[in-house]
């Protein structure tokens, strides 16, 4: 998830801004979308002039003050959230092509970049970066150069019809001052309409300081802007149209996409977070393709034990992974809290695979545990959401989640992306070890591919869970029960409530209640229960329904999360929220969402800052 800005303007008497000011202001507002690096390119004096720097936008501004750009009225700008290639100057956007005459910026993941790169290298193209974006730029440059018409829009159209994956691409060429072209597929792009100037942005905050007239662009569309007009066509070349609207958000809420908090925005980002994490990890035949892993496949196939190291929400993702990986791979999976792991002299050796899970990649507890495990000879694989952070850098291999920057302290989209990444890893291991047939793997990946739409279905039905939260604003304690993969979901639901609504909440394995905690139940005690699918062949479902009856018989207020069609819970749930059907192992990706919404709404109703809860930090970089 990167920040993108494009501008084409004219020098008019009352326009006191040139391209650079528009680009920098836009990038400043978009920096929340990515802050690994930033860069701009402008068209001036018959040439492309570009500046780009790793790190925050301030680094780029310093670079420009030391190496000024010529005045210009056409340009593109980018803040990067790294996916392919770590945060560095050379991997920063824009990427140049066509002998430096073309500049390109990109948001998304181009799945087939490796095949295209191989063909271009054969053609003599030399690449400077590790990015998929530079490949797209080189393809566009080649296409443009080979065209007789030198039509940048048509060259972009030819190019994007060869790309697979999710992308928003912006380009500008020295031959076309005053023109910026852009294309979008599965990645956001909005057009801003001004007087004698037009804008492009990954969202409206990219140009909200200059215009509030916007046009939302549709899937597979190409837009060309000049200072006084814009045109939209489809990837098929036919005329197309976007949806015009007026931005009535203030700048601050624009950065949150119009949501009241980053946390809520990130809850609603979850369909994309899961979809983007799945992207490019299996091929058309359904075979897992984790080329990015740098551990030898043979070594991976022969691990005898997996130890997950993580903290907090990330540890609950690891607990979900335990159920899936043990079922698919028949490898024992131990889930360890990082801060406990290295103080108990754990049994770890060369045949152990350490899987660390960390959104930030900077959690000191997890970093120290990974270092300890490496000293014992274990192989280390990092599942991380922050490209180039310390834990992946110190690991033998990394499987990045592609949830985009998670700003709110309370983890939501990263959690679902982490679970998705552990499923991908488990299926890859099962493929290497031959535990699952290719058809089984393909079926599970197909089920995973349906999850984003199912999450969206839940998000579209959030009113009931929000109303429940508002009715419970005075609750002083809430319990959460779950079995099997529902147990980590219960733990996560409790953690969300604790960390943003400051309400005592506790998650339990449902079967554990009768071994003591049921003494907590008295009249009106709210108890969430995550109920597994009734379609499972095991007796999980009936046992959990019994647990609901046990607490209800003692006066609990039962709040049930169950699978659509499961009428059996109606008799025992004072409140029932249904999630779409899905195989049991994948259910955490759905059952978690209403619990996130509940906690977010309750904290909001209580007037708390859901993005920056008291006492907490987004990344705990101390032990
Ligand atoms: C989750 O909502 C919390 N912010 C916290 O438990 C977090 O998951 C934990 O500190 C681990 O952080 P990491 O994923 O960045 O390593």
């Amino acid at each position: 998830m990167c920040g993108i800005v494009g501008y084409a303007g004219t020098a008019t008497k009352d326009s006191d801004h040139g391209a650079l000011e528009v680009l920098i202001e836009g990038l400043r507002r978009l920096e929340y979308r990515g802050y690994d690096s930033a860069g701009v390119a402008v068209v001036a004096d018959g040439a492309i002039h570009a500046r780009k720097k790793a790190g925050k936008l301030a680094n780029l501004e310093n670079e420009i003050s030391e190496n000024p750009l010529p005045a210009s009225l056409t340009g593109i700008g980018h803040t990067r959230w790294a996916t392919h290639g770590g945060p560095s100057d050379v991997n920063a956007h824009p990427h140049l092509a066509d002998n430096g005459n073309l500049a390109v910026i990109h948001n998304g993941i181009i799945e087939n970049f490796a095949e295209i790169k191989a063909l271009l290298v054969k053609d003599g193209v030399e690449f400077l970066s590790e990015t998929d974006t530079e490949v797209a730029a080189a393809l566009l440059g080649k296409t443009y150069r080979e065209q007789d018409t030198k039509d940048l829009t048509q060259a972009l159209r030819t190019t994007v019809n060869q790309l697979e994956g999710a992308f928003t691409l912006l380009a500008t060429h020295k031959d076309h001052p005053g023109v910026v072209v852009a294309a979008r597929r599965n990645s956001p792009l909005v057009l801003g309409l001004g007087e004698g100037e037009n804008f492009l942005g990954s969202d409206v905050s990219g140009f909200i300081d200059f215009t509030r007239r916007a046009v939302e662009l549709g899937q597979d569309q190409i837009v060309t802007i000049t200072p006084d007009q814009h045109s939209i066509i489809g990837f098929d070349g036919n005329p197309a149209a976007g949806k015009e609207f007026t931005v009535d958000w203030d700048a601050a809420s624009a950065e949150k996409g119009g949501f009241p908090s980053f946390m809520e925005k990130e809850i609603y980002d979850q369909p994309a977070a899961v979809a983007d994490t799945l992207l490019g990890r299996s091929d058309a035949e359904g075979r897992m393709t984790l080329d990015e892993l740098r551990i030898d496949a043979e070594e991976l196939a022969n691990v005898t034990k997996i130890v997950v190291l993580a903290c907090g929400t990330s540890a609950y993702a690891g607990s979900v992974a335990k159920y899936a990986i043990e079922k698919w791979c028949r490898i024992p999976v131990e889930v360890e809290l990082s801060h406990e792991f290295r103080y108990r002299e754990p049994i770890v050796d060369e045949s152990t695979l350490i899987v660390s899970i960390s959104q930030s990649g900077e959690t000191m507890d997890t970093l120290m545990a990974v270092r300890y495990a490496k000293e014992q000879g274990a192989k280390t694989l990092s599942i991380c959401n922050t490209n180039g952070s310390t834990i992946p850098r110190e690991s033998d291999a990394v499987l990045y989640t592609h949830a985009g920057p998670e700003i709110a302290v309370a983890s939501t989209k990263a959690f679902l992306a982490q679970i998705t990444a552990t499923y991908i890893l488990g299926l890859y291991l099962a493929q290497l070890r031959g535990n699952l047939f290719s058809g089984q793997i393909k079926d599970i990946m197909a089920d995973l591919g349906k999850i984003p739409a199912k999450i969206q279905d839940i998000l579209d039905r959030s009113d009931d869970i929000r109303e429940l939260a508002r009715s419970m604003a005075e609750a002083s304690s809430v319990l959460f029960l779950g079995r099997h993969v529902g147990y980590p979901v219960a733990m996560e639901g409790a953690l969300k409530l604790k960390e943003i609504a400051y309400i005592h909440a506790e998650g339990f394995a449902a079967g554990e209640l009768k071994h003591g905690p049921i003494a907590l139940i008295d009249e009106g005690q709210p108890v969430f229960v995550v109920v597994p699918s009734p379609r499972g062949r095991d007796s999980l479902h009936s046992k959990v329904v019994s647990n609901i009856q046990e607490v209800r018989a003692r006066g609990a207020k039962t709040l049930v999360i169950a699978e659509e069609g499961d009428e059996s819970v109606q008799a025992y749930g004072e409140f029932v929220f249904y999630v779409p059907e899905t195989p049991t192992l994948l259910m955490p990706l759905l059952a978690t969402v209403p619990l996130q919404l509940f906690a977010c709404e309750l904290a909001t109703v209580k007037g708390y800052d859901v993005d920056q809860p008291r006492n907490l930090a987004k990344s705990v970089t101390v032990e």
Side-chain angles (χ1 to χ4, degrees):
M1 192 162 95
C2 305
I4 276 185
V5 188
Y7 179 71
T10 41
T12 61
K13 60 181 175 2
D14 55 5
S15 85
D16 55 357
H17 51 259
L20 184 60
E21 184 187 339
V22 170
L23 298 178
I24 294 297
E25 277 316 302
L27 293 181
R28 197 184 317 286
R29 294 214 178 273
L30 289 167
E31 200 169 16
Y32 76 89
R33 294 176 69 93
Y35 31 77
D36 292 330
S37 61
V40 294
V42 297
V43 183
D45 313 328
I48 291 286
H49 304 266
R51 302 285 186 275
K52 56 184 187 175
K53 282 303 275 183
K56 296 267 186 185
L57 181 60
N59 294 1
L60 174 66
E61 292 180 281
N62 292 338
E63 167 69 11
I64 292 171
S65 61
E66 288 162 18
N67 300 293
L69 284 164
S72 170
L73 291 162
T74 310
I76 56 178
H78 186 270
T79 54
R80 185 168 182 243
W81 182 259
T83 52
H84 293 80
S88 64
D89 292 358
V90 74
N91 287 336
H93 303 202
H95 288 280
L96 305 189
D98 190 20
N99 299 319
N101 298 321
L102 169 75
V104 175
I105 57 178
H106 166 226
N107 177 24
I109 298 162
I110 295 170
E111 283 187 73
N112 60 335
F113 84 97
E115 300 102 84
I116 295 172
K117 184 170 186 173
L119 294 172
L120 291 168
V121 166
K122 268 198 196 122
D123 231 11
V125 176
E126 288 180 17
F127 287 93
L128 304 176
S129 79
E130 308 158 78
T131 66
D132 52 350
T133 310
E134 192 182 7
V135 174
L139 182 60
L140 176 56
K142 177 174 183 290
T143 307
Y144 177 79
R145 216 172 31 256
E146 291 171 352
Q147 255 189 3
D148 299 336
T149 57
K150 294 293 174 280
D151 180 327
L152 193 56
T153 303
Q154 289 307 323
L156 182 60
R157 186 169 81 84
T158 305
T159 299
V160 296
N161 278 307
Q162 301 173 65
L163 304 181
E164 293 165 15
F167 50 84
T168 297
L169 291 168
L170 263 67
T172 189
H173 195 286
K174 73 159 182 69
D175 295 349
H176 302 277
V179 177
V180 176
V181 297
R184 72 163 297 263
R185 167 176 284 172
N186 297 327
S187 182
L189 182 64
V190 186
L191 166 62
L193 304 176
E195 297 302 322
E197 56 187 6
N198 286 314
F199 308 79
L200 290 167
S202 25
D203 63 50
V204 295
S205 43
F207 49 72
I208 196 167
D209 292 313
F210 302 97
T211 182
R212 287 177 174 271
R213 283 180 57 211
V215 176
E216 188 182 323
L217 295 166
Q219 178 75 324
D220 288 4
Q221 287 188 345
I222 292 168
V223 58
T224 303
I225 63 169
T226 64
D228 48 23
Q229 65 175 0
H230 70 276
S231 66
I232 303 173
I233 60 172
F235 282 15
D236 58 8
N238 295 326
K243 272 189 298 189
E244 188 158 342
F245 65 98
T246 302
V247 182
D248 54 9
W249 306 321
D250 61 31
S253 64
E255 289 177 19
K256 299 166 192 161
F259 288 95
S261 65
F262 276 113
M263 182 178 179
E264 184 149 352
K265 176 186 175 297
E266 287 154 9
I267 290 173
Y268 280 74
D269 279 348
Q270 292 184 121
V274 171
D276 288 351
T277 300
L278 287 168
L279 215 51
R281 265 97 189 236
S282 67
D283 63 22
E285 287 69 50
R287 284 187 54 74
M288 304 309 291
T289 54
L290 291 193
D291 305 340
E292 67 232 76
L293 289 195
R294 293 192 303 275
I295 295 184
D296 173 68
E298 190 66 24
E299 281 187 291
L300 263 186
N302 294 320
V303 298
T304 57
K305 177 171 80 167
I306 290 175
V307 174
V308 174
L309 298 176
C311 300
T313 290
S314 300
Y316 300 145
S319 298
V320 172
K322 173 182 175 66
Y323 291 94
I325 294 176
E326 287 190 345
K327 179 171 175 65
W328 293 335
C329 304
R330 310 314 297 156
I331 306 175
V333 178
E334 295 170 9
V335 182
E336 296 273 357
L337 292 173
S338 305
H339 40 78
E340 286 292 319
F341 173 70
R342 64 194 178 104
Y343 297 108
R344 61 170 189 78
E345 296 182 33
I347 300 163
V348 170
D349 61 25
E350 294 73 17
S351 67
T352 306
L353 175 64
I354 296 291
V355 177
S356 64
I357 302 178
S358 175
Q359 189 288 129
S360 63
E362 301 298 344
T363 298
M364 188 54 74
D365 287 323
T366 301
L367 175 59
M368 298 310 285
V370 168
R371 284 178 178 167
Y372 176 87
K374 281 191 81 166
E375 287 160 11
Q376 312 306 312
K379 279 170 280 305
T380 56
L381 186 153
S382 161
I383 290 177
C384 185
N385 195 47
T386 309
N387 201 303
S389 54
T390 306
I391 296 173
R393 270 208 324 270
E394 296 198 14
S395 298
D396 299 317
V398 57
L399 180 58
Y400 281 115
T401 52
H402 294 148
E406 188 173 69
I407 310 298
V409 166
S411 186
T412 51
K413 63 177 182 174
F415 177 59
L416 294 200
Q418 288 167 345
I419 294 173
T420 304
T422 64
Y423 291 151
I424 290 166
L425 176 63
L427 292 171
Y428 181 66
L429 287 172
Q431 176 176 288
L432 288 181
R433 298 163 57 90
N435 300 93
L436 291 177
F437 294 113
S438 56
Q440 289 173 297
I441 292 170
K442 189 171 182 177
D443 290 347
I444 296 168
M445 283 300 284
D447 286 332
L448 276 169
K450 296 171 189 160
I451 291 290
K454 292 180 175 180
I455 295 172
Q456 190 57 53
D457 170 68
I458 293 168
L459 295 172
D460 294 344
R461 292 185 288 117
S462 67
D463 292 350
D464 291 352
I465 197 80
R466 290 174 187 276
E467 190 185 324
L468 173 71
R470 287 192 289 273
S471 73
M472 290 176 60
E474 300 313 313
S476 58
S477 145
V478 181
L479 306 184
F480 293 75
L481 308 184
R483 264 185 201 263
H484 196 264
V485 288
Y487 174 28
V489 174
M491 299 298 286
E492 172 60 8
L495 176 59
K496 285 286 137 330
L497 206 55
K498 281 182 270 198
E499 64 177 329
I500 63 172
Y502 316 144
I503 289 176
H504 177 261
E506 199 161 349
F508 293 101
E512 184 61 12
L513 216 63
K514 55 189 175 300
H515 298 284
I518 201 163
L520 287 171
I521 306 297
D522 58 15
E523 195 55 37
Q525 169 66 49
V527 180
F528 270 102
V529 186
V530 179
V531 180
S533 167
R535 295 171 298 115
R537 286 191 297 278
D538 43 37
S539 58
L540 270 181
H541 177 266
S542 56
K543 288 212 168 29
V544 174
V545 172
S546 306
N547 297 139
I548 301 176
Q549 292 167 306
E550 283 162 16
V551 295
R552 187 176 168 76
R554 291 163 175 80
K557 178 180 180 178
T558 50
L559 314 169
V560 174
I561 310 291
E563 184 176 274
E564 271 165 5
D566 182 0
E567 294 304 319
S568 69
V569 298
Q570 281 297 339
Y572 314 110
E574 273 189 54
F575 171 87
V576 180
F577 186 93
Y578 285 109
V579 297
E581 265 190 36
T582 195
T584 298
L585 283 175
L586 309 188
M587 179 272 287
L589 292 174
L590 302 182
T592 303
V593 179
L595 302 182
Q596 294 167 336
L597 289 166
F598 177 81
C600 186
E601 186 72 14
L602 210 161
T604 304
V605 163
K606 293 171 80 82
Y608 296 146
D609 178 351
V610 296
D611 287 339
Q612 304 288 341
R614 68 187 183 199
N615 310 339
L616 294 177
K618 184 56 185 169
S619 178
V620 182
T621 53
V622 293
E623 276 195 289

